[in-house]
Amino acid sequence: STEERKPHRKSLILGKLDFTFVGLNLNLSDCPPLGLESLKVSDDQLESSSYLSVGLGPHRGRLNIQSGLDDDDEYDGAWCAGVEDQEQWLQLNALRPTLFTGVILQGRNSIWSLNWVRTYKVQFSNDSSVWQPCMNGSEEAVFIGNEDLETPVLALFPEPSVAQYIRINPQTWFSNGTICLRAEVLGCPVPDPDSPHFSETESGSSDDLDFRHHNYNEMRKLMKSVNDKCPNITRIYTIGRSYTGLKLYVMEISDNPGKHELGEPEFRYVAGMHGNEVLGRELLLNLMQYICREYNRGNQRVIQLVKDTRIHLLPSMNPDGYETAYEKGSELSGWALGRYSFEGIDMNHNFPDLNNIMWDAQELAINKRRVSNHYIPMPEYYTSTEALVRKNCHPCLAMEDIPFVLSANLHGGELVVTYPFDCTRDWIPRQDTPTADNDFFRWLATVYASTNLVMANPERRICHSEDFLQHNNIINGADWHTVPGSMNDFSYLHTNCFEITVELSCDKFPHASELPIEWENNKESLLLYMEQVHRGLKGVIRDKDTRAGIANAVIKVDGLGHDIRSAVDGDYWRLLNPGEYKITVWAEGYFPRIRHCSVGSEPHATICDFTLTKTSQDRLKQILASGGKIPRDNQVRIRAMRMRKLRASTKILNRRREQQRLNKIKRK
């Protein structure tokens, strides 16, 4: 009936103002954060009674905001009142009537100062002139704040109120400090057609994907559902277990899953290395759903990507850390909870430091060209079965058997794309430390950053204290901060894989309500970056006689001091920018071969095959080992080589004798 379809209506009184809104059977605890941490709330929406300095103004009173190392005037770690009394406040203008349900508080982020609010009150207003307190029955409510700098503390209001403005009014604070806080406000916007900020539906995504946070069991179910819907192009495998026994699942997507196809490049996305940086995890779960669905729908771009690429998606490299953060929730996990492995290891500082091994060898070498610039072996301290570092990173080392060409690992807490090297020379805190492939790495970083809808916005606010906009949202990792033993550097120096790091969002653990728009922000970037695996050169290196592929052949690009090697079947991929290149290929027991190859601007690799001829000595060994006779042409070739060596040695001997004769004449 018409009566049954009428929405439930409820009125809330604020001072003399009566707010009527359409009730949606809403659980008040489900009201999301308004976006102080995610920067959805702009600086103009925040005001305060006073502030201690420009860098401690109201715009810095955001949950989990991080200060610069110097606690300077521009980028400090909280809002701090300029006066110490109970009349101070931090105020938010929500821009529209909002059902306010709670506040989350933190202290000041600082390594030099100890400042936090212990108790506080809250007031509401519709015009910022008339204010009404949040009540607890007949008394004004007083809320418990913090006992330390970092731990987020949630307070839900006993009487949620509809208003446009909310004030946080500190009452007591740490006795040895001053009034400082970082905050998030929880609230549900009230439908108001007369408001210029009214929208029937919040902006999100048109893709029908599972937009929520998935714990370990939910992640497994989602991956299985994708596999069930697309069994012909997907395969789930594991690369080990975490310390607590949780399996590390990988989703493989390919037109021939389970097998490396000759000439088809291998691509990898890794997320969740830091367990509390969760957006990458959800994006990869979204990505596998999207590829499966679009493949079945006949999306030609996706079909081509699946046909030409073997894709591996590892959504949770550190599931133990994630489960810890997930239990607390998106707003209460804080900045560090869940970052580390169960044993307290930062997994991105835990790969073998091959950079300094290479650099030290270069310093000691007389001929630096003879120092290996690729496939640097693992140091002994890492290969020990008892090594703690190896125990924590062995799952990704298990992926060494796959000849990955391109990868990205997804992080959070900033908006920037970093590229190797991540480690500086001589332990300098930060310094631009480029690889031999610096130009191509900058291209890769730019591809992602320039197509990410948030990074590409020139009007966006910086996240914390670094202005990456001035660098077009890309930076050499070591020029940001040095990270010895990073996954990026390890991939580049120990394998053929080129890898970058993508910092996806200012908020490490976005609320579930933010996930649809975050997918839209990153969808094109994720797809376009994968397609870059098809740039440069590719080919197969074969034995001239047997036509068999040659494994571990070295591919050297003239002018670039970084080599790669062919895979087990002899195929190789060399990522390069457009241009003309002189390529030298050599393998043990073969004569080297040189070719000039051209790379175009289109994302289609140029095929540049090589056939290598065995050296005579190796061919002879091979023939004799098989019990065969040496062919006549080989016998002639061997005799000719012996005659050349004899003539050369005779010439040298004659020169020495002539020199000795002249020396005797001079002495006389």
Side-chain angles (χ1 to χ4, degrees):
S1 68
T2 304
E3 279 296 313
E4 289 174 342
R5 290 198 300 270
K6 285 183 178 179
H8 169 67
R9 294 184 176 273
K10 181 180 179 183
S11 295
L12 289 93
I13 305 299
L14 174 60
K16 298 179 180 180
L17 300 173
D18 184 352
F19 294 91
T20 302
F21 69 98
V22 179
L24 300 175
N25 296 321
L26 184 68
N27 184 343
L28 297 182
S29 64
D30 288 340
C31 281
L34 295 186
L36 277 78
E37 181 178 9
S38 68
L39 304 185
K40 189 176 180 181
V41 169
S42 70
D43 289 349
D44 294 339
Q45 292 175 249
L46 297 170
E47 295 184 64
S48 64
S49 53
S50 64
Y51 49 86
L52 200 58
S53 67
V54 173
L56 293 167
H59 65 294
R60 302 297 290 179
R62 300 171 180 272
L63 194 72
N64 284 318
I65 203 162
Q66 302 295 294
S67 68
L69 290 176
D70 300 327
D71 284 2
D72 56 47
D73 273 350
E74 193 172 0
Y75 301 116
D76 221 316
W79 162 67
C80 291
V83 180
E84 286 192 37
D85 63 35
Q86 294 181 331
E87 304 303 316
Q88 303 306 305
W89 45 261
L90 175 68
Q91 174 179 307
L92 165 66
N93 178 2
L95 302 179
R96 59 182 286 183
T98 300
L99 178 66
F100 293 113
T101 61
V103 165
I104 302 171
L105 237 57
Q106 270 177 321
R108 177 182 176 182
N109 175 251
S110 173
I111 59 175
W112 314 107
S113 307
L114 298 175
N115 299 301
W116 59 82
V117 168
R118 290 188 185 276
T119 60
Y120 62 98
K121 297 180 179 180
V122 173
Q123 292 97 38
F124 307 104
S125 174
N126 193 51
D127 58 8
S128 76
S129 296
V130 178
W131 292 87
Q132 295 292 332
C134 180
M135 302 298 291
N136 186 9
S138 60
E139 297 181 350
E140 188 172 354
V142 178
F143 300 98
I144 302 300
N146 292 86
E147 293 297 327
D148 59 36
L149 297 176
E150 290 296 331
T151 307
V153 178
L154 168 66
L156 291 175
F157 303 149
E159 295 184 13
S161 296
V162 171
Q164 182 173 326
Y165 298 86
I166 183 173
R167 277 183 178 177
I168 300 170
N169 172 212
Q171 296 297 295
T172 61
W173 45 92
F174 179 52
S175 58
N176 292 330
T178 188
I179 302 171
C180 293
L181 62 85
R182 293 175 286 167
E184 183 60 87
V185 176
L186 306 182
C188 295
V190 175
D192 180 7
D194 297 327
S195 170
H197 303 285
F198 171 72
S199 172
E200 286 291 348
T201 57
E202 293 292 330
S203 59
S205 173
S206 59
D207 291 322
D208 184 19
L209 306 176
D210 189 2
F211 293 118
R212 61 192 174 98
H213 290 294
H214 298 79
N215 64 18
Y216 178 73
N217 288 328
E218 291 164 343
M219 180 188 74
R220 290 199 309 172
K221 291 177 183 177
L222 186 148
M223 294 178 74
K224 186 179 185 304
S225 72
V226 172
N227 183 233
D228 289 342
K229 291 174 183 176
C230 294
N232 295 329
I233 63 165
T234 64
R235 179 178 74 102
I236 300 171
Y237 66 94
T238 64
I239 56 170
R241 292 178 181 266
S242 70
Y243 185 88
T244 64
L246 302 182
K247 291 182 179 179
L248 276 67
Y249 289 102
V250 180
M251 173 67 78
E252 178 192 339
I253 305 176
S254 168
D255 62 341
N256 191 8
K259 179 182 178 182
H260 171 71
E261 297 181 70
L262 189 71
E264 185 172 293
E266 307 267 356
F267 178 90
R268 176 181 72 201
Y269 272 132
V270 176
M273 179 180 290
H274 296 144
N276 64 331
E277 297 171 13
V278 307
L279 180 55
R281 174 192 182 105
E282 297 307 324
L283 288 177
L284 293 192
L285 295 178
N286 294 154
L287 183 61
M288 59 183 73
Q289 295 173 75
Y290 177 82
I291 292 176
C292 172
R293 188 193 68 185
E294 293 301 304
Y295 185 91
N296 288 338
R297 286 181 174 179
N299 183 320
Q300 288 304 304
R301 182 187 188 185
V302 171
I303 289 173
Q304 195 69 37
L305 187 62
V306 172
K307 179 182 175 183
D308 295 342
T309 320
R310 190 179 178 207
I311 302 164
H312 305 256
L313 307 178
L314 171 58
S316 187
M317 183 177 168
N318 179 10
D320 293 348
Y322 176 82
E323 293 299 304
T324 300
Y326 179 85
E327 287 178 9
K328 280 287 186 179
S330 63
E331 315 313 319
L332 301 181
S333 60
W335 189 252
L337 183 68
R339 173 185 178 90
Y340 306 103
S341 70
F342 185 85
E343 302 112 305
I345 300 295
D346 187 329
M347 298 179 78
N348 199 37
H349 294 237
N350 199 44
F351 287 83
D353 176 11
L354 304 181
N355 306 55
N356 283 288
I357 291 174
M358 179 181 69
W359 292 330
D360 290 346
Q362 289 174 347
E363 290 294 326
L364 296 173
I366 297 174
N367 185 351
K368 292 180 173 52
R369 291 185 179 181
R370 293 186 176 274
V371 176
S372 178
N373 60 30
H374 74 299
Y375 270 53
I376 298 173
M378 303 252 250
E380 289 184 10
Y381 75 83
Y382 203 90
T383 56
S384 166
T385 56
E386 298 302 317
L388 180 62
V389 286
R390 181 171 175 81
K391 286 180 180 178
N392 279 274
C393 283
H394 77 274
C396 278
L397 301 182
M399 300 178 83
E400 287 181 276
D401 294 336
I402 301 172
F404 287 110
V405 179
L406 182 62
S407 176
N409 61 81
L410 308 180
H411 288 245
E414 259 298 351
L415 277 167
V416 67
V417 182
T418 74
Y419 53 90
F421 285 122
D422 287 335
C423 181
T424 60
R425 289 177 181 253
D426 304 319
W427 306 103
I428 296 171
R430 60 184 296 177
Q431 185 180 61
D432 186 28
T433 311
T435 66
D437 290 283
N438 191 58
D439 290 344
F440 192 79
F441 272 119
R442 288 181 60 83
W443 164 261
L444 290 173
T446 300
V447 164
Y448 200 101
S450 63
T451 54
N452 178 280
L453 298 185
V454 180
M455 293 188 204
N457 179 7
E459 304 300 320
R460 77 170 178 88
R461 184 193 189 280
I462 67 170
C463 289
H464 301 286
S465 61
E466 294 271 0
D467 183 7
F468 293 113
L469 281 165
Q470 63 181 322
H471 305 297
N472 296 317
N473 303 297
I474 70 171
I475 192 170
N476 174 261
D479 201 22
W480 183 16
H481 56 271
T482 187
V483 180
S486 76
M487 189 171 177
N488 285 355
D489 291 0
F490 173 79
S491 295
Y492 184 67
L493 293 175
H494 187 67
T495 75
N496 289 335
C497 189
F498 285 35
E499 185 160 11
I500 64 170
T501 291
V502 183
E503 299 281 350
L504 292 163
S505 64
C506 302
D507 187 350
K508 287 187 175 184
F509 201 144
H511 190 270
S513 61
E514 301 283 345
L515 295 178
I517 190 63
E518 290 290 4
W519 165 249
E520 290 299 320
N521 291 339
N522 288 276
K523 177 169 67 174
E524 177 60 23
S525 305
L526 290 165
L527 294 171
L528 189 60
Y529 183 78
M530 283 194 287
E531 291 168 342
Q532 303 314 300
V533 77
H534 297 286
R535 289 194 177 273
L537 301 175
K538 73 173 184 178
V540 182
I541 301 168
R542 291 187 170 92
D543 185 294
K544 183 179 179 181
D545 297 324
T546 67
R547 306 304 296 171
I550 301 173
N552 288 318
V554 176
I555 298 93
K556 183 182 291 292
V557 181
D558 191 44
L560 289 180
H562 181 76
D563 306 333
I564 64 166
R565 299 199 180 203
S566 59
V568 173
D569 297 323
D571 44 354
Y572 78 94
W573 305 262
R574 184 52 165 100
L575 297 175
L576 291 166
N577 282 325
E580 301 291 329
Y581 296 94
K582 177 183 175 183
I583 311 297
T584 302
V585 172
W586 65 271
E588 186 175 353
Y590 291 86
F591 290 109
R593 176 84 186 275
I594 296 175
R595 282 192 64 182
H596 289 81
C597 303
S598 177
V599 174
S601 58
E602 295 297 317
H604 304 293
T606 300
I607 296 175
C608 193
D609 294 331
F610 288 81
T611 56
L612 301 186
T613 303
K614 278 187 176 291
T615 63
S616 298
Q617 186 177 9
D618 279 271
R619 292 187 69 183
L620 178 59
K621 288 179 181 177
Q622 185 180 33
I623 292 167
L624 293 176
S626 63
K629 294 182 179 181
I630 302 174
R632 184 171 180 78
D633 63 330
N634 279 1
Q635 294 179 22
V636 172
R637 191 176 300 151
I638 292 169
R639 281 198 295 268
M641 288 181 64
R642 287 173 177 169
M643 288 301 297
R644 284 197 296 270
K645 288 182 180 180
L646 180 60
R647 291 192 191 101
S649 59
T650 301
K651 285 181 181 179
I652 293 171
L653 184 59
N654 289 338
R655 286 187 194 134
R656 287 178 182 172
R657 287 174 177 171
E658 179 63 19
Q659 188 63 45
Q660 289 173 355
R661 187 183 67 80
L662 292 174
N663 289 339
K664 287 181 180 180
I665 293 172
K666 287 179 182 179
R667 284 197 293 271
K668 291 180 179 179

